[in-house]
Amino acid sequence: MDLFTTVIAFKLPHFVEINPIILSLARESPFLVVLFKIGVVLSVSLLLLSLYEFSQRSEFGKALFSGVFWGSFLSCIVLWLIAVHNVVLLILYI
């Protein structure tokens, strides 16, 4: 949903990207934004899978996996709220 709202907002004149990383990528090419956002999701997913395997071998691994998992989970909730906010703004604008 975040990727979808970002791509749509780039095409509209009244919306401004406030994330400096995404903004600099978008100035180069919107395709880079898509690659970046998909890359972040894949990277975190692969990290969690790797840490899950590691967590089966030690208590430290369990703690590390748990911390990264819950940090990612909370980040997803925040990103979901931002995406919902963006959808509401797009609906109100259109």
Side-chain angles (χ1 to χ4, degrees):
M1 189 167 34
D2 176 60
L3 177 59
F4 180 72
T5 58
T6 300
V7 170
I8 289 175
F10 280 144
K11 297 177 183 179
L12 300 172
H14 294 39
F15 292 93
V16 177
E17 177 62 54
I18 60 172
N19 181 333
I21 296 169
I22 299 300
L23 184 59
S24 65
L25 290 173
R27 287 181 180 150
E28 295 295 322
S29 168
F31 183 68
L32 291 176
V33 173
V34 174
L35 284 178
F36 179 80
K37 288 188 180 241
I38 290 172
V40 168
V41 170
L42 288 176
S43 297
V44 171
S45 298
L46 290 173
L47 175 64
L48 283 169
L49 284 172
S50 298
L51 288 176
Y52 178 75
E53 293 297 321
F54 182 63
S55 74
Q56 303 303 309
R57 292 182 243 154
S58 69
E59 289 300 313
F60 175 74
K62 287 179 185 177
L64 185 60
F65 173 76
S66 180
V68 172
F69 174 83
W70 287 109
S72 299
F73 182 78
L74 292 173
S75 296
C76 285
I77 290 173
V78 170
L79 187 57
W80 178 80
L81 291 170
I82 291 169
V84 168
H85 174 261
N86 291 346
V87 168
V88 169
L89 289 177
L90 286 171
I91 290 170
L92 293 174
Y93 179 77
I94 297 172

Coordinates of all heavy atoms in Angstrom, one line a residue:
M1 N 0.8 -1.2 0.0 CA 0.0 0.0 0.0 C 0.9 1.3 0.0 O 0.6 2.2 -0.7 CB -0.9 0.0 1.2 CG -2.0 1.1 1.1 SD -3.4 1.0 2.3 CE -2.8 0.3 3.8
D2 N 2.0 1.2 0.7 CA 2.9 2.4 0.8 C 3.5 2.6 -0.6 O 3.5 3.8 -1.1 CB 4.0 2.1 1.8 CG 5.0 3.2 1.8 OD1 4.6 4.4 2.1 OD2 6.2 3.0 1.5
L3 N 3.9 1.6 -1.3 CA 4.5 1.8 -2.6 C 3.4 2.3 -3.6 O 3.7 3.2 -4.3 CB 5.0 0.4 -3.1 CG 5.6 0.4 -4.5 CD1 6.7 1.4 -4.7 CD2 6.0 -1.0 -4.9
F4 N 2.2 1.8 -3.5 CA 1.1 2.2 -4.4 C 0.8 3.7 -4.2 O 0.7 4.5 -5.1 CB -0.1 1.3 -4.1 CG -1.3 1.7 -4.9 CD1 -1.3 1.4 -6.3 CD2 -2.4 2.3 -4.3 CE1 -2.5 1.7 -7.0 CE2 -3.5 2.6 -5.0 CZ -3.5 2.4 -6.4
T5 N 0.7 4.1 -2.9 CA 0.4 5.5 -2.6 C 1.5 6.4 -3.0 O 1.3 7.6 -3.5 CB 0.0 5.7 -1.2 OG1 1.0 5.3 -0.3 CG2 -1.3 5.0 -0.8
T6 N 2.7 6.0 -2.8 CA 3.9 6.8 -3.2 C 3.9 7.0 -4.7 O 4.1 8.2 -5.1 CB 5.2 6.1 -2.7 OG1 5.2 5.9 -1.3 CG2 6.4 6.9 -3.1
V7 N 3.7 6.0 -5.5 CA 3.8 6.1 -6.9 C 2.7 7.0 -7.4 O 2.9 7.9 -8.3 CB 3.7 4.7 -7.6 CG1 3.5 4.8 -9.1 CG2 5.0 3.9 -7.3
I8 N 1.5 6.9 -6.9 CA 0.4 7.8 -7.3 C 0.6 9.2 -6.9 O 0.4 10.1 -7.7 CB -1.0 7.3 -6.7 CG1 -1.4 6.0 -7.3 CG2 -2.1 8.3 -6.8 CD1 -2.6 5.4 -6.7
A9 N 1.1 9.4 -5.7 CA 1.4 10.8 -5.2 C 2.4 11.5 -6.0 O 2.4 12.7 -6.2 CB 1.7 10.8 -3.7
F10 N 3.4 10.8 -6.6 CA 4.4 11.4 -7.4 C 3.8 12.1 -8.6 O 4.4 13.0 -9.2 CB 5.5 10.4 -7.9 CG 6.5 10.1 -6.8 CD1 7.0 8.8 -6.7 CD2 7.0 11.1 -6.0 CE1 8.0 8.5 -5.7 CE2 7.9 10.8 -5.0 CZ 8.4 9.5 -4.9
K11 N 2.7 11.5 -9.1 CA 2.0 12.1 -10.3 C 1.1 13.2 -10.0 O 0.6 13.9 -11.0 CB 1.2 10.9 -11.0 CG 2.1 9.8 -11.4 CD 1.3 8.7 -12.0 CE 2.2 7.5 -12.4 NZ 1.5 6.4 -13.0
L12 N 0.9 13.5 -8.8 CA 0.0 14.6 -8.4 C 0.8 15.9 -8.0 O 1.8 15.7 -7.3 CB -1.0 14.2 -7.3 CG -1.9 13.0 -7.7 CD1 -2.6 12.4 -6.5 CD2 -2.8 13.3 -8.9
P13 N 0.3 17.0 -8.3 CA 1.1 18.2 -8.0 C 1.1 18.7 -6.5 O 2.1 19.4 -6.2 CB 0.4 19.3 -8.9 CG -1.0 18.8 -9.0 CD -0.9 17.3 -9.0
H14 N 0.2 18.3 -5.7 CA 0.1 18.9 -4.4 C 0.8 18.0 -3.3 O 0.8 18.4 -2.1 CB -1.4 19.1 -4.0 CG -2.0 20.1 -4.8 ND1 -1.9 20.3 -6.2 CD2 -2.9 21.1 -4.5 CE1 -2.6 21.3 -6.6 NE2 -3.3 21.8 -5.6
F15 N 1.4 16.9 -3.7 CA 2.0 16.0 -2.7 C 3.5 16.1 -2.8 O 4.0 16.2 -3.8 CB 1.5 14.6 -2.9 CG 0.1 14.4 -2.6 CD1 -0.9 14.5 -3.6 CD2 -0.4 14.1 -1.3 CE1 -2.2 14.3 -3.4 CE2 -1.7 13.9 -1.0 CZ -2.6 14.0 -2.0
V16 N 4.1 16.1 -1.6 CA 5.6 16.2 -1.5 C 6.1 15.0 -0.7 O 5.5 14.7 0.4 CB 5.9 17.5 -0.8 CG1 7.4 17.6 -0.6 CG2 5.4 18.7 -1.5
E17 N 7.1 14.4 -1.2 CA 7.8 13.3 -0.5 C 8.7 13.9 0.6 O 9.5 14.7 0.3 CB 8.6 12.4 -1.5 CG 9.3 11.3 -0.8 CD 8.4 10.3 -0.1 OE1 7.5 9.7 -0.8 OE2 8.7 10.0 1.1
I18 N 8.5 13.4 1.8 CA 9.3 14.0 2.9 C 10.5 13.1 3.3 O 11.4 13.5 4.0 CB 8.5 14.4 4.1 CG1 7.8 13.1 4.7 CG2 7.5 15.5 3.8 CD1 7.1 13.4 6.0
N19 N 10.5 11.9 2.7 CA 11.6 11.0 3.0 C 12.8 11.3 2.0 O 12.6 11.2 0.8 CB 11.2 9.5 2.8 CG 12.3 8.5 3.0 OD1 13.4 8.8 2.9 ND2 11.8 7.3 3.4
P20 N 13.9 11.8 2.6 CA 15.0 12.3 1.7 C 15.6 11.2 0.8 O 16.0 11.4 -0.3 CB 16.0 12.8 2.6 CG 15.7 12.3 4.0 CD 14.2 12.0 4.0
I21 N 15.6 9.9 1.3 CA 16.1 8.8 0.5 C 15.2 8.6 -0.7 O 15.6 8.5 -1.9 CB 16.3 7.5 1.3 CG1 17.3 7.8 2.4 CG2 16.6 6.4 0.4 CD1 17.3 6.7 3.4
I22 N 13.9 8.5 -0.5 CA 12.9 8.2 -1.6 C 12.9 9.4 -2.5 O 12.8 9.2 -3.7 CB 11.5 7.9 -1.0 CG1 11.6 6.7 -0.1 CG2 10.5 7.8 -2.1 CD1 12.0 5.4 -0.8
L23 N 13.0 10.6 -2.0 CA 13.0 11.8 -2.8 C 14.1 11.8 -3.8 O 14.0 12.1 -5.0 CB 13.0 13.1 -1.9 CG 12.8 14.4 -2.7 CD1 11.5 14.4 -3.5 CD2 12.9 15.5 -1.7
S24 N 15.3 11.5 -3.3 CA 16.5 11.5 -4.2 C 16.4 10.4 -5.2 O 16.8 10.6 -6.3 CB 17.8 11.4 -3.4 OG 17.9 10.2 -2.7
L25 N 15.9 9.2 -4.8 CA 15.7 8.2 -5.8 C 14.7 8.5 -6.8 O 14.8 8.2 -8.0 CB 15.3 6.9 -5.1 CG 16.4 6.2 -4.2 CD1 15.8 5.0 -3.4 CD2 17.5 5.7 -5.1
A26 N 13.6 9.2 -6.4 CA 12.5 9.5 -7.3 C 13.0 10.6 -8.3 O 12.5 10.6 -9.5 CB 11.3 10.1 -6.5
R27 N 13.9 11.4 -7.9 CA 14.4 12.4 -8.9 C 15.2 11.8 -10.0 O 15.2 12.3 -11.1 CB 15.3 13.4 -8.1 CG 14.5 14.4 -7.3 CD 15.4 15.4 -6.6 NE 14.6 16.3 -5.8 CZ 15.0 16.9 -4.7 NH1 16.2 16.7 -4.2 NH2 14.2 17.7 -4.0
E28 N 15.9 10.6 -9.7 CA 16.6 9.9 -10.7 C 15.6 9.1 -11.6 O 15.7 9.2 -12.8 CB 17.6 8.9 -10.0 CG 18.7 9.6 -9.3 CD 19.6 10.4 -10.2 OE1 19.9 10.0 -11.3 OE2 20.0 11.5 -9.8
S29 N 14.7 8.3 -10.9 CA 13.8 7.5 -11.6 C 12.8 6.9 -10.6 O 13.2 6.3 -9.6 CB 14.5 6.4 -12.4 OG 13.6 5.4 -12.8
P30 N 11.5 6.9 -11.0 CA 10.5 6.3 -10.1 C 10.7 4.8 -10.0 O 10.4 4.2 -9.0 CB 9.2 6.6 -10.8 CG 9.4 7.8 -11.6 CD 10.9 7.7 -12.0
F31 N 11.3 4.2 -11.0 CA 11.7 2.8 -10.9 C 12.6 2.5 -9.8 O 12.5 1.4 -9.2 CB 12.3 2.3 -12.3 CG 12.5 0.9 -12.4 CD1 11.5 -0.1 -12.4 CD2 13.8 0.4 -12.4 CE1 11.8 -1.4 -12.4 CE2 14.1 -0.9 -12.5 CZ 13.1 -1.9 -12.5
L32 N 13.5 3.4 -9.5 CA 14.4 3.2 -8.4 C 13.7 3.1 -7.0 O 14.1 2.4 -6.1 CB 15.5 4.3 -8.3 CG 16.5 4.2 -9.5 CD1 17.5 5.5 -9.4 CD2 17.3 3.0 -9.4
V33 N 12.6 3.9 -6.9 CA 11.8 3.9 -5.7 C 11.2 2.5 -5.5 O 11.2 1.9 -4.4 CB 10.7 5.0 -5.7 CG1 9.8 4.9 -4.6 CG2 11.4 6.4 -5.8
V34 N 10.7 2.0 -6.6 CA 10.0 0.6 -6.6 C 11.1 -0.4 -6.2 O 10.8 -1.2 -5.3 CB 9.4 0.3 -7.9 CG1 8.9 -1.1 -8.0 CG2 8.3 1.3 -8.3
L35 N 12.3 -0.3 -6.8 CA 13.3 -1.3 -6.5 C 13.8 -1.2 -5.0 O 14.0 -2.2 -4.4 CB 14.5 -1.1 -7.4 CG 14.4 -1.6 -8.8 CD1 15.7 -1.3 -9.6 CD2 14.2 -3.1 -8.8
F36 N 13.9 0.1 -4.6 CA 14.3 0.3 -3.2 C 13.3 -0.3 -2.2 O 13.7 -1.0 -1.3 CB 14.5 1.8 -2.9 CG 14.9 2.1 -1.5 CD1 16.3 1.9 -1.1 CD2 14.0 2.5 -0.6 CE1 16.6 2.2 0.2 CE2 14.4 2.8 0.7 CZ 15.7 2.7 1.1
K37 N 12.0 0.0 -2.4 CA 11.0 -0.4 -1.4 C 10.9 -2.0 -1.4 O 10.8 -2.6 -0.4 CB 9.7 0.2 -1.7 CG 9.7 1.7 -1.3 CD 8.4 2.4 -1.4 CE 8.5 3.8 -1.0 NZ 7.6 4.1 0.2
I38 N 10.9 -2.6 -2.6 CA 10.9 -4.0 -2.7 C 12.2 -4.6 -2.1 O 12.1 -5.6 -1.4 CB 10.7 -4.5 -4.2 CG1 9.3 -4.1 -4.6 CG2 10.9 -6.0 -4.3 CD1 9.0 -4.3 -6.1
G39 N 13.3 -4.0 -2.4 CA 14.6 -4.5 -1.8 C 14.6 -4.4 -0.3 O 15.1 -5.4 0.3
V40 N 14.0 -3.4 0.3 CA 14.0 -3.3 1.8 C 13.1 -4.5 2.3 O 13.5 -5.1 3.3 CB 13.4 -2.0 2.2 CG1 13.1 -2.0 3.7 CG2 14.4 -0.9 1.9
V41 N 12.0 -4.7 1.7 CA 11.1 -5.8 2.2 C 11.8 -7.2 2.1 O 11.8 -8.0 3.0 CB 9.8 -5.8 1.5 CG1 9.0 -7.0 1.8 CG2 9.0 -4.6 1.8
L42 N 12.4 -7.4 0.9 CA 13.1 -8.7 0.7 C 14.3 -8.8 1.7 O 14.6 -9.9 2.2 CB 13.6 -8.8 -0.7 CG 12.5 -9.0 -1.8 CD1 13.1 -9.0 -3.2 CD2 11.8 -10.3 -1.5
S43 N 15.1 -7.7 1.9 CA 16.2 -7.8 2.8 C 15.8 -8.1 4.2 O 16.5 -8.9 4.9 CB 17.0 -6.4 2.7 OG 17.5 -6.2 1.5
V44 N 14.8 -7.4 4.7 CA 14.3 -7.7 6.1 C 13.8 -9.1 6.2 O 14.1 -9.8 7.1 CB 13.3 -6.7 6.5 CG1 12.7 -7.1 7.8 CG2 13.9 -5.3 6.6
S45 N 13.1 -9.6 5.1 CA 12.6 -11.0 5.1 C 13.7 -12.0 5.2 O 13.7 -12.9 6.0 CB 11.7 -11.2 3.9 OG 10.6 -10.3 3.9
L46 N 14.7 -11.8 4.3 CA 15.9 -12.7 4.3 C 16.6 -12.6 5.7 O 17.1 -13.7 6.2 CB 16.8 -12.4 3.2 CG 16.3 -12.7 1.8 CD1 17.2 -12.2 0.7 CD2 16.0 -14.2 1.7
L47 N 16.8 -11.4 6.2 CA 17.4 -11.3 7.5 C 16.7 -12.1 8.6 O 17.3 -12.8 9.4 CB 17.5 -9.8 7.9 CG 18.1 -9.6 9.3 CD1 19.5 -10.0 9.4 CD2 17.9 -8.1 9.7
L48 N 15.3 -12.0 8.6 CA 14.5 -12.7 9.6 C 14.7 -14.2 9.4 O 14.7 -15.0 10.4 CB 13.1 -12.3 9.5 CG 12.8 -10.9 10.2 CD1 11.4 -10.4 9.9 CD2 13.0 -11.0 11.7
L49 N 14.6 -14.7 8.1 CA 14.8 -16.1 7.9 C 16.2 -16.6 8.4 O 16.3 -17.7 9.0 CB 14.6 -16.4 6.4 CG 13.2 -16.4 5.9 CD1 13.2 -16.5 4.4 CD2 12.4 -17.5 6.5
S50 N 17.2 -15.8 8.1 CA 18.6 -16.2 8.6 C 18.6 -16.2 10.1 O 19.2 -17.1 10.7 CB 19.6 -15.2 8.0 OG 19.6 -15.3 6.6
L51 N 18.1 -15.2 10.7 CA 18.1 -15.1 12.2 C 17.3 -16.2 12.8 O 17.6 -16.7 13.9 CB 17.7 -13.8 12.7 CG 18.7 -12.6 12.4 CD1 18.1 -11.3 12.9 CD2 20.0 -12.9 13.1
Y52 N 16.2 -16.6 12.1 CA 15.4 -17.7 12.7 C 16.2 -19.0 12.8 O 16.2 -19.7 13.8 CB 14.1 -17.9 11.8 CG 13.3 -19.1 12.3 CD1 12.5 -18.9 13.5 CD2 13.3 -20.3 11.7 CE1 11.8 -20.0 14.0 CE2 12.6 -21.4 12.2 CZ 11.8 -21.2 13.3 OH 11.1 -22.2 13.8
E53 N 17.0 -19.3 11.7 CA 17.8 -20.5 11.7 C 18.8 -20.4 12.8 O 19.1 -21.3 13.5 CB 18.5 -20.6 10.4 CG 17.6 -21.0 9.2 CD 16.9 -22.3 9.4 OE1 17.5 -23.3 9.9 OE2 15.7 -22.4 9.1
F54 N 19.4 -19.2 13.0 CA 20.4 -18.9 14.0 C 19.8 -19.0 15.4 O 20.4 -19.5 16.4 CB 21.0 -17.5 13.8 CG 22.1 -17.2 14.8 CD1 23.3 -17.9 14.9 CD2 22.0 -16.1 15.7 CE1 24.3 -17.6 15.8 CE2 23.0 -15.8 16.6 CZ 24.1 -16.5 16.6
S55 N 18.5 -18.7 15.5 CA 17.9 -18.7 16.8 C 17.6 -20.1 17.4 O 17.4 -20.3 18.6 CB 16.5 -17.9 16.8 OG 15.6 -18.7 16.1
Q56 N 17.7 -21.1 16.5 CA 17.5 -22.4 16.9 C 18.7 -23.0 17.6 O 18.6 -24.0 18.3 CB 17.1 -23.3 15.7 CG 15.9 -22.9 14.9 CD 14.7 -22.8 15.8 OE1 14.3 -23.7 16.5 NE2 14.0 -21.6 15.7
R57 N 19.8 -22.3 17.5 CA 21.1 -22.8 18.0 C 21.6 -22.2 19.4 O 22.4 -22.8 20.0 CB 22.2 -22.6 17.0 CG 22.0 -23.5 15.8 CD 23.1 -23.3 14.8 NE 22.5 -22.7 13.6 CZ 23.1 -22.0 12.7 NH1 24.4 -21.7 12.9 NH2 22.5 -21.5 11.7
S58 N 21.1 -21.0 19.7 CA 21.6 -20.4 21.0 C 20.5 -19.5 21.6 O 19.6 -19.0 20.9 CB 22.9 -19.7 20.7 OG 22.6 -18.5 19.9
E59 N 20.7 -19.2 22.8 CA 19.9 -18.2 23.5 C 20.1 -16.8 22.9 O 19.2 -16.0 22.8 CB 20.1 -18.2 25.0 CG 19.6 -19.4 25.7 CD 18.1 -19.6 25.6 OE1 17.4 -18.6 25.8 OE2 17.7 -20.7 25.2
F60 N 21.4 -16.5 22.6 CA 21.7 -15.2 22.0 C 20.9 -15.1 20.6 O 20.4 -14.0 20.3 CB 23.2 -15.0 21.8 CG 23.5 -13.8 21.0 CD1 23.4 -12.5 21.6 CD2 23.9 -13.8 19.7 CE1 23.8 -11.4 21.0 CE2 24.2 -12.7 19.0 CZ 24.2 -11.4 19.6
G61 N 20.9 -16.1 19.9 CA 20.2 -16.1 18.6 C 18.7 -15.9 18.8 O 18.1 -15.2 18.0
K62 N 18.1 -16.5 19.8 CA 16.7 -16.3 20.1 C 16.4 -14.9 20.4 O 15.5 -14.3 20.0 CB 16.3 -17.2 21.2 CG 16.2 -18.7 20.9 CD 15.7 -19.5 22.1 CE 15.8 -21.0 21.6 NZ 15.4 -21.9 22.7
A63 N 17.3 -14.3 21.3 CA 17.1 -12.9 21.7 C 17.3 -11.9 20.5 O 16.5 -11.0 20.3 CB 18.1 -12.5 22.8
L64 N 18.3 -12.2 19.6 CA 18.5 -11.4 18.4 C 17.4 -11.5 17.5 O 16.9 -10.5 17.0 CB 19.8 -11.8 17.8 CG 20.3 -11.0 16.6 CD1 20.6 -9.6 17.0 CD2 21.6 -11.6 16.0
F65 N 16.9 -12.7 17.2 CA 15.7 -12.9 16.3 C 14.5 -12.2 16.9 O 13.8 -11.5 16.2 CB 15.4 -14.4 16.1 CG 14.1 -14.6 15.4 CD1 14.1 -14.5 14.0 CD2 13.0 -15.0 16.0 CE1 12.9 -14.7 13.3 CE2 11.8 -15.2 15.4 CZ 11.8 -15.0 14.0
S66 N 14.3 -12.3 18.2 CA 13.1 -11.7 18.8 C 13.2 -10.2 18.7 O 12.2 -9.5 18.3 CB 13.0 -12.1 20.3 OG 11.9 -11.5 20.9
G67 N 14.3 -9.6 18.9 CA 14.5 -8.1 18.8 C 14.2 -7.6 17.4 O 13.5 -6.7 17.2
V68 N 14.8 -8.3 16.4 CA 14.7 -7.9 15.0 C 13.2 -8.1 14.6 O 12.6 -7.3 13.9 CB 15.7 -8.6 14.1 CG1 15.4 -8.3 12.6 CG2 17.1 -8.2 14.4
F69 N 12.6 -9.3 15.0 CA 11.2 -9.5 14.6 C 10.3 -8.5 15.2 O 9.5 -7.9 14.4 CB 10.8 -10.9 15.1 CG 9.4 -11.2 14.9 CD1 8.9 -11.7 13.7 CD2 8.4 -11.0 15.9 CE1 7.6 -11.9 13.4 CE2 7.1 -11.2 15.7 CZ 6.7 -11.7 14.4
W70 N 10.4 -8.2 16.5 CA 9.5 -7.2 17.0 C 9.7 -5.8 16.6 O 8.8 -5.0 16.4 CB 9.5 -7.3 18.6 CG 8.8 -8.5 19.0 CD1 9.3 -9.6 19.6 CD2 7.4 -8.8 18.9 NE1 8.3 -10.6 19.8 CE2 7.1 -10.1 19.4 CE3 6.3 -8.1 18.4 CZ2 5.9 -10.7 19.4 CZ3 5.0 -8.7 18.4 CH2 4.8 -10.0 18.9
G71 N 11.0 -5.5 16.3 CA 11.3 -4.2 15.7 C 10.7 -4.0 14.3 O 10.2 -3.0 14.0
S72 N 10.8 -5.1 13.5 CA 10.2 -5.1 12.2 C 8.7 -5.0 12.3 O 8.1 -4.3 11.5 CB 10.7 -6.3 11.4 OG 12.0 -6.4 11.3
F73 N 8.1 -5.7 13.2 CA 6.7 -5.7 13.4 C 6.2 -4.3 13.7 O 5.2 -3.8 13.1 CB 6.3 -6.7 14.5 CG 4.8 -6.8 14.7 CD1 4.0 -7.6 13.8 CD2 4.2 -6.2 15.8 CE1 2.7 -7.7 14.0 CE2 2.9 -6.3 16.0 CZ 2.1 -7.0 15.1
L74 N 6.8 -3.7 14.7 CA 6.4 -2.3 15.0 C 6.6 -1.3 13.9 O 5.8 -0.4 13.6 CB 7.2 -1.8 16.3 CG 6.8 -2.6 17.6 CD1 7.7 -2.2 18.7 CD2 5.4 -2.4 17.9
S75 N 7.7 -1.5 13.2 CA 8.0 -0.6 12.0 C 6.9 -0.8 10.9 O 6.5 0.1 10.3 CB 9.3 -1.0 11.4 OG 10.4 -0.7 12.3
C76 N 6.4 -2.1 10.8 CA 5.4 -2.3 9.8 C 4.1 -1.7 10.2 O 3.3 -1.2 9.4 CB 5.1 -3.8 9.6 SG 6.4 -4.6 8.7
I77 N 3.8 -1.7 11.5 CA 2.6 -1.0 12.0 C 2.6 0.5 11.7 O 1.7 1.1 11.2 CB 2.4 -1.3 13.5 CG1 2.0 -2.7 13.7 CG2 1.3 -0.3 14.1 CD1 1.9 -3.1 15.2
V78 N 3.8 1.1 12.0 CA 3.9 2.5 11.7 C 3.8 2.8 10.2 O 3.1 3.7 9.8 CB 5.3 3.1 12.3 CG1 5.6 4.5 11.8 CG2 5.3 3.0 13.8
L79 N 4.5 2.0 9.4 CA 4.4 2.2 7.9 C 2.9 2.0 7.5 O 2.5 2.7 6.6 CB 5.3 1.2 7.2 CG 5.5 1.4 5.7 CD1 5.9 2.8 5.4 CD2 6.4 0.4 5.2
W80 N 2.2 1.0 8.1 CA 0.8 0.8 7.7 C 0.0 2.0 8.0 O -0.8 2.5 7.2 CB 0.3 -0.4 8.4 CG -1.2 -0.7 8.1 CD1 -1.7 -1.3 7.0 CD2 -2.3 -0.3 8.9 NE1 -3.0 -1.3 7.1 CE2 -3.4 -0.7 8.2 CE3 -2.4 0.3 10.1 CZ2 -4.7 -0.5 8.8 CZ3 -3.7 0.5 10.7 CH2 -4.8 0.1 10.0
L81 N 0.2 2.6 9.2 CA -0.5 3.8 9.6 C -0.2 5.0 8.6 O -1.1 5.7 8.2 CB -0.2 4.3 11.0 CG -0.7 3.3 12.1 CD1 -0.1 3.7 13.4 CD2 -2.2 3.4 12.1
I82 N 1.1 5.1 8.2 CA 1.4 6.1 7.2 C 0.7 5.9 5.9 O 0.2 6.8 5.3 CB 3.0 6.2 7.1 CG1 3.6 6.8 8.3 CG2 3.4 7.0 5.8 CD1 5.1 6.6 8.4
A83 N 0.7 4.6 5.5 CA 0.1 4.3 4.2 C -1.4 4.6 4.2 O -2.0 5.1 3.3 CB 0.3 2.8 3.8
V84 N -2.1 4.2 5.4 CA -3.5 4.5 5.5 C -3.7 6.1 5.5 O -4.7 6.5 4.8 CB -4.1 3.9 6.8 CG1 -5.5 4.5 7.1 CG2 -4.1 2.4 6.7
H85 N -2.9 6.8 6.1 CA -3.0 8.3 6.1 C -2.8 8.8 4.6 O -3.6 9.6 4.2 CB -1.9 8.9 7.0 CG -1.7 10.3 6.9 ND1 -0.8 11.0 6.1 CD2 -2.5 11.3 7.5 CE1 -0.9 12.3 6.2 NE2 -1.9 12.5 7.1
N86 N -1.9 8.2 3.9 CA -1.7 8.6 2.5 C -2.9 8.2 1.6 O -3.3 9.0 0.8 CB -0.5 7.9 1.9 CG 0.8 8.4 2.5 OD1 0.9 9.4 3.2 ND2 1.9 7.6 2.3
V87 N -3.5 7.1 1.9 CA -4.7 6.7 1.1 C -5.8 7.7 1.4 O -6.5 8.2 0.5 CB -5.2 5.3 1.5 CG1 -6.6 5.0 1.0 CG2 -4.2 4.3 0.9
V88 N -6.0 8.1 2.7 CA -7.0 9.1 3.1 C -6.8 10.4 2.4 O -7.7 11.0 1.8 CB -7.1 9.3 4.6 CG1 -8.0 10.5 5.0 CG2 -7.6 8.0 5.3
L89 N -5.5 10.9 2.3 CA -5.2 12.1 1.7 C -5.5 12.0 0.2 O -6.0 13.0 -0.4 CB -3.7 12.5 1.9 CG -3.3 12.9 3.3 CD1 -1.8 13.2 3.3 CD2 -4.1 14.2 3.6
L90 N -5.1 10.9 -0.4 CA -5.4 10.7 -1.9 C -6.9 10.7 -2.2 O -7.4 11.3 -3.2 CB -4.8 9.4 -2.4 CG -3.2 9.5 -2.5 CD1 -2.7 8.1 -2.8 CD2 -2.8 10.4 -3.6
I91 N -7.7 10.0 -1.3 CA -9.1 10.0 -1.5 C -9.7 11.4 -1.4 O -10.6 11.8 -2.2 CB -9.8 9.0 -0.5 CG1 -9.5 7.6 -0.9 CG2 -11.3 9.3 -0.5 CD1 -9.9 6.6 0.1
L92 N -9.2 12.2 -0.4 CA -9.7 13.5 -0.2 C -9.3 14.5 -1.4 O -10.0 15.4 -1.7 CB -9.2 14.1 1.1 CG -9.8 13.5 2.4 CD1 -9.1 14.0 3.6 CD2 -11.3 13.6 2.5
Y93 N -8.1 14.2 -1.9 CA -7.6 15.0 -3.0 C -8.4 14.8 -4.3 O -8.7 15.6 -5.0 CB -6.1 14.8 -3.2 CG -5.6 15.6 -4.3 CD1 -5.3 17.0 -4.2 CD2 -5.3 15.0 -5.6 CE1 -4.8 17.7 -5.2 CE2 -4.8 15.8 -6.6 CZ -4.6 17.1 -6.4 OH -4.1 17.9 -7.5
I94 N -8.6 13.5 -4.6 CA -9.3 13.1 -5.8 C -10.7 13.3 -5.7 O -11.4 13.9 -6.2 CB -8.9 11.6 -6.2 CG1 -7.4 11.5 -6.4 CG2 -9.7 11.2 -7.4 CD1 -7.0 10.0 -6.5

